[in-house]
Amino acid sequence: MNFQITRRYPCSYLPGQLARSRVVITDNDTPDSDIYARLIRQGYRRSGGLIYRPDCDFCQACIPVRIPVEQFSPNRTQRRIWKRHQHLQTARHMLHFDPAHFALYQRYQKSRHTHGSMDQDDENGREQYRNFLLKSTVDSFLVTFHEDDQLRMVSIIDQLPDGLSSVYTFFEPEVAGSSYGTFNILWQTNQCRAGRLPYLYLGYWIENSQKMHYKANFQPLQLRINNQWQYKEPCVKTIRHDDPI
C-alpha cells in the first residue's frame, strides 16, 4: 500500500482556499476490511473508490469525528425527531443504480447545492452519481427509507469491524422541517448499538463550514486531534440538522 499527494484544488468547504489530499494507492485498488478500518481510525475517508485524507500545507481545519455509541445519549430534540419518524420503512441493499434513487439525488442536489456540478440530469450526471456513491472497494451497502410507497431517503454506509462509516445521505428536500438527516444519524447509531459496534464514523468536521455544523449536535463526540481520538465538544454558533455527511 502506497500513498500519493494530489495537486492542489479548490476547497469544497472553505471558499477561496486551496486543498490537497493524501490518496491511498493499493494493488488492484482493493484494500481489505482490516486495512480500511485501520485507515479510518487514522482519519481517512472514502469517496467512491478513492480513500483519502486532507493533506493541506497550511490548514488543518478538517477534523475526523466519530460517535462513541455507548456513551451517546440523544438530546430532547433528537428524541422527538426519532419518535416522529418511527413509521419509516427501511431496507438494506447491495450498492446498485435505481432511477428512483437517482431522481431523489437530483432533487436533493438542486435544493441543497445550487449551481453545483452533481445535479446534471444526463448520462454524465448518472456516471458521476455511480462513481461517487455506487463505486466501492470495501464492504458497503445502501439503505432506503420509505414512507408508505414514497422514497424519502437513501444512505450509503461502510461496514467496519469496529463500527459503521456514514458515507453519504440524501433525502427528500420538499418535506419541510423533516430533520431526516438527524434521524438518519440516530438510526445508524442505533444500528451500531444493535450490532455491538463501538463507533459511528461521521467523516470530517470543519469549524468554519456551515455544512458541517450539524455534527456537533451529537454528544459526546470524539475528534481526532494530534493523531489521537479525544473527547471535545466542538464550539459552533449555529447548528443545522439536515446537511449531508
Side-chain angles (χ1 to χ4, degrees):
M1 182 171 60
N2 297 304
F3 301 90
Q4 179 177 309
I5 304 298
T6 68
R7 294 181 178 180
R8 293 172 181 83
Y9 53 88
C11 180
S12 301
Y13 300 104
L14 300 177
Q17 297 272 25
L18 291 178
R20 70 177 187 179
S21 297
R22 178 183 294 268
V23 178
V24 177
I25 307 297
T26 60
D27 294 337
N28 300 319
D29 293 327
T30 55
D32 62 33
S33 58
D34 290 335
I35 292 175
Y36 181 52
R38 187 164 71 247
L39 291 167
I40 289 284
R41 290 193 293 269
Q42 293 174 4
Y44 283 81
R45 183 77 170 149
R46 184 181 70 80
S47 177
L50 187 71
I51 299 174
Y52 71 98
R53 75 177 185 191
D55 195 337
C56 303
D57 292 317
F58 306 107
C59 179
Q60 296 181 335
C62 294
I63 301 176
V65 294
R66 68 185 184 186
I67 298 174
V69 172
E70 288 304 316
Q71 287 75 45
F72 171 68
S73 179
N75 60 34
R76 186 175 180 179
T77 298
Q78 291 165 346
R79 289 195 296 270
R80 286 201 302 265
I81 293 169
W82 177 255
K83 185 177 180 180
R84 184 194 313 167
H85 293 306
Q86 286 302 297
H87 64 287
L88 291 178
Q89 300 107 34
T90 64
R92 175 170 170 162
H93 311 268
M94 296 179 62
L95 298 184
H96 69 286
F97 181 84
D98 186 305
H101 300 174
F102 181 65
L104 177 60
Y105 176 79
Q106 292 291 299
R107 293 196 298 276
Y108 178 83
Q109 289 292 331
K110 290 176 181 178
S111 173
R112 296 289 172 138
H113 304 285
T114 307
H115 307 304
S117 62
M118 302 293 284
D119 62 353
Q120 303 174 62
D121 190 13
D122 55 19
E123 185 56 39
N124 184 56
R126 287 186 284 275
E127 187 63 21
Q128 283 188 322
Y129 171 81
R130 290 187 182 97
N131 289 335
F132 176 41
L133 295 180
L134 306 181
K135 183 178 180 181
S136 174
T137 59
V138 298
D139 186 3
S140 305
F141 58 95
L142 180 153
V143 180
T144 56
F145 298 77
H146 282 81
E147 183 174 17
D148 297 325
D149 293 329
Q150 298 295 315
L151 178 65
R152 295 303 191 193
M153 183 162 52
V154 175
S155 192
I156 311 298
I157 303 171
D158 289 341
Q159 181 75 54
L160 305 170
D162 67 341
L164 299 176
S165 176
S166 193
V167 177
Y168 198 79
T169 295
F170 54 95
F171 48 82
E172 181 56 70
E174 297 179 3
V175 181
S178 68
S179 296
Y180 283 139
T182 294
F183 174 77
N184 185 270
I185 294 180
L186 295 171
W187 184 86
Q188 292 189 45
T189 301
N190 196 52
Q191 293 297 299
C192 287
R193 185 173 286 112
R196 300 183 181 274
L197 300 170
Y199 301 111
L200 175 61
Y201 292 86
L202 297 181
Y204 299 115
W205 174 79
I206 301 174
E207 182 177 2
N208 294 322
S209 172
Q210 183 73 17
K211 294 179 180 180
M212 298 287 191
H213 284 180
Y214 71 99
K215 298 180 184 182
N217 280 317
F218 298 88
Q219 295 295 330
L221 195 65
Q222 287 186 345
L223 286 68
R224 194 171 193 275
I225 301 174
N226 297 326
N227 297 322
Q228 291 184 337
W229 289 100
Q230 52 191 276
Y231 290 97
K232 183 177 179 180
E233 183 170 351
C235 179
V236 295
K237 296 180 180 179
T238 304
I239 298 176
R240 293 179 58 185
H241 291 277
D242 277 349
D243 280 300
I245 293 172

